[in-house]
């Protein structure tokens, strides 16, 4: 019942997040309609706003290459269908022939699934109406080009999406997975609870999906910042966030191994290990601190301090415990701490630590910046 009760609220929040793109798309469609009327006179110009809607839907959430592919599909389908309507007329059988020819042509020119699908959709729309001309020129292809042009002007010049916003949302999902995993690992080490260790491993294994989403958001963000003049100031921050994401990938692998080692340790029924639990808890705090600092890379020293604190505690535990599994756990804590220190250095005036060897980097950092103690 609770899920059903929460669904309308989730849908409302989703609508709120999509309200501006919806308004933007509607405004662009109206502009395309008026421009088509201005260029084509009193003729029916309903396809121009349709083309804008299709193309703007692509440019709002996809890379420029995919948007261009979709726009090309619109134009290709319109050209083929408009020409065939003049030869074989309109109707259900003719529409079927047009879809086959449009999609086949898209495949022959090397188009992907997106171009083929859009060519077929455009053929259906055009094949269902009578053709129109302006002098010797068919109007539908002109409308398709006009609608695509309006979509790109709106997307690139007037209202380009904020790449930092989309990257930030994707990154927070990764941070959430990493932080929750580490908190479950710390709890499992503190109590010896094998169920918590199993849950931690399960969460860690699911982070790869979020990492792929972050990579895609960064790719789209860089493309937007490169092509949209209003978003070019974001390029520096995106580069630093790209570097953070690279180290988050390494940290995810180490945390997955850490969770697996802890799960193996708890299955043997060994006693709790509070000193290692404290080190892992510091790692979790470092992840949350890095999540907070992600919007402005290199401006907050808290992630680095907490990661170094975790590394120092892990080193002490490594010297204290003779058990090989605990030694491996402590080693994974240190490796993860090194990844987080490198991530925290992205965009920092103190310098880039991405190429530093783990042991040397941790030793140097512990000497230069003692970790916080509570």
């Amino acid at each position: 019942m609770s899920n059903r009760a929460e669904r309308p609220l989730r849908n409302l929040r989703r609508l709120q997040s999509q309200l501006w793109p919806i308004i933007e798309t509607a405004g662009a469609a109206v502009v395309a309609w008026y421009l088509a009327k201005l260029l084509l006179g009193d003729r029916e110009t309903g396809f121009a706003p349709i083309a804008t809607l299709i193309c703007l839907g692509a440019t709002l959430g996809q890379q420029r290459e995919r948007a261009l592919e979709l726009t090309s599909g619109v134009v290709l389908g319109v050209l083929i269908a408009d020409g065939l309507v003049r030869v074989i007329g309109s109707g259900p059988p003719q529409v079927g022939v047009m879809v086959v020819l449009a999609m086949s042509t898209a495949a022959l020119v090397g188009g992907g699934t997106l171009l083929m699908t859009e060519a077929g959709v455009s053929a259906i729309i055009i094949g269902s109406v009578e053709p129109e001309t302006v002098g010797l020129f068919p109007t539908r292809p002109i409308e398709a080009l006009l609608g695509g042009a309006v979509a790109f002007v709106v997307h690139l010049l007037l209202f380009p999406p904020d790449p930092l916003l989309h990257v930030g949302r994707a990154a927070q999902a990764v941070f959430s997975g990493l932080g929750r995993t580490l908190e479950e690992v710390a709890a499992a080490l503190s109590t010896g609870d094998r169920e918590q260790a199993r849950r931690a491993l399960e969460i860690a294994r699911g982070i790869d999906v979020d990492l792929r989403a972050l990579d895609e958001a960064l790719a789209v963000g860089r493309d937007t910042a490169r092509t949209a003049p209003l978003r070019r100031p974001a390029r520096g921050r995106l580069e630093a966030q790209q570097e953070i994401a690279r180290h988050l990938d390494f940290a995810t692998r180490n945390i997955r191994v850490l969770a697996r080692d802890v799960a193996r340790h708890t299955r043997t029924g060994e006693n709790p290990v509070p000193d290692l639990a404290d080190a892992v808890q510091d790692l979790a705090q470092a992840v949350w601190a890095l999540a907070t600092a992600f919007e402005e890379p290199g401006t907050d020293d808290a992630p680095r301090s907490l990661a170094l604190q975790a590394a120092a505690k892990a080193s002490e535990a490594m010297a204290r415990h003779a058990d090989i599994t605990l030694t491996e756990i402590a080693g994974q804590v240190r490796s993860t701490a090194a990844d987080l220190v490198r991530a925290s250095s992205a965009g920092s005036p103190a310098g880039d630590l991405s190429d530093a060897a783990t042991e040397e980097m941790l030793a140097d950092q512990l000497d230069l910046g003692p970790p916080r103690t509570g």
Side-chain angles (χ1 to χ4, degrees):
M1 292 294 293
S2 60
N3 289 337
R4 290 184 179 179
E6 292 174 0
R7 188 175 301 169
L9 292 176
R10 288 199 302 268
N11 292 341
L12 179 59
R13 287 194 293 268
R14 183 182 180 189
L15 173 60
Q16 289 174 338
S17 66
Q18 296 296 322
L19 188 57
W20 176 246
I22 291 172
I23 295 173
E24 177 184 337
T25 302
V30 172
V31 170
W33 189 87
Y34 275 113
L35 285 176
K37 283 292 184 184
L38 182 64
L39 292 175
L40 303 177
D42 294 331
R43 294 173 179 80
E44 177 59 43
T45 55
F47 190 71
I50 292 175
T52 299
L53 182 70
I54 294 171
C55 298
L56 192 56
T59 58
L60 282 173
Q62 299 173 1
Q63 295 187 57
R64 179 180 53 180
E65 290 76 10
R66 295 193 69 192
L68 285 172
E69 183 180 5
L70 194 148
T71 305
S72 300
V74 172
V75 175
L76 180 63
V78 169
L79 284 171
I80 292 174
D82 193 83
L84 287 174
V85 165
R86 300 169 189 280
V87 177
I88 62 177
S90 60
Q94 290 93 327
V95 167
V97 173
M98 295 173 195
V99 170
V100 171
L101 291 176
M103 296 185 73
S104 299
T105 303
L108 286 174
V109 299
T113 303
L114 191 63
L115 190 148
M116 292 173 59
T117 301
E118 194 46 54
V121 170
S122 300
I124 292 173
I125 296 173
I126 299 304
S128 304
V129 297
E130 293 296 327
E132 292 189 14
T133 60
V134 178
L136 298 176
F137 299 101
T139 62
R140 301 306 184 191
I142 296 175
E143 289 185 67
L145 289 171
L146 179 62
V150 170
F152 273 94
V153 168
V154 169
H155 172 69
L156 293 177
L157 299 179
L158 301 180
F159 305 109
D162 185 353
L164 294 171
L165 177 63
H166 294 293
V167 170
R169 288 174 178 171
Q172 293 309 313
V174 176
F175 286 123
S176 177
L178 294 175
R180 288 165 52 218
T181 299
L182 290 170
E183 288 181 345
E184 292 286 355
V185 167
L189 286 169
S190 180
T191 62
D193 188 336
R194 66 179 62 184
E195 177 59 25
Q196 284 183 306
R198 184 201 62 79
R199 191 159 55 241
L201 183 57
E202 183 177 323
I203 297 172
R205 287 171 173 167
I207 299 174
D208 282 344
V209 175
D210 295 324
L211 277 172
R212 287 194 292 271
L214 176 56
D215 286 341
E216 182 175 349
L218 282 164
V220 173
R222 291 196 306 274
D223 183 77
T224 301
R226 185 173 60 251
T227 57
L230 292 178
R231 298 305 183 191
R232 286 177 186 169
R235 286 180 293 181
R237 287 167 64 184
L238 286 168
E239 289 178 4
Q241 289 174 347
Q242 175 73 39
E243 184 65 13
I244 293 175
R246 187 169 74 90
H247 294 297
L248 287 181
D249 188 12
F250 298 144
T252 299
R253 300 178 196 181
N254 281 319
I255 289 173
R256 190 182 300 119
V257 175
L258 172 63
R260 189 163 57 241
D261 288 343
V262 172
R264 185 172 71 249
H265 173 73
T266 57
R267 283 197 298 268
T268 63
E270 297 289 343
N271 293 328
V273 194
D275 52 354
L276 280 175
D278 287 345
V280 175
Q281 186 60 45
D282 284 341
L283 276 186
Q285 293 302 314
V287 167
W288 296 128
L290 188 59
T292 302
F294 185 78
E295 298 298 328
E296 294 288 343
T299 60
D300 191 345
D301 193 51
R304 169 184 169 274
S305 296
L306 288 163
L308 290 174
Q309 185 167 283
K313 290 182 179 180
S315 297
E316 295 171 1
M318 188 180 292
R320 188 180 301 121
H321 297 291
D323 184 274
I324 187 170
T325 300
L326 296 182
T327 301
E328 291 173 352
I329 291 172
Q332 287 304 132
V333 171
R334 285 174 55 82
S335 296
T336 305
D339 293 328
L340 297 179
V341 170
R342 293 187 182 102
S344 68
S345 76
S348 172
D352 185 12
L353 301 174
S354 59
D355 296 327
T358 296
E359 293 301 325
E360 294 179 4
M361 186 269 291
L362 287 178
D364 290 343
Q365 290 293 303
L366 287 169
D367 287 340
L368 292 174
R372 300 187 305 183
T373 57

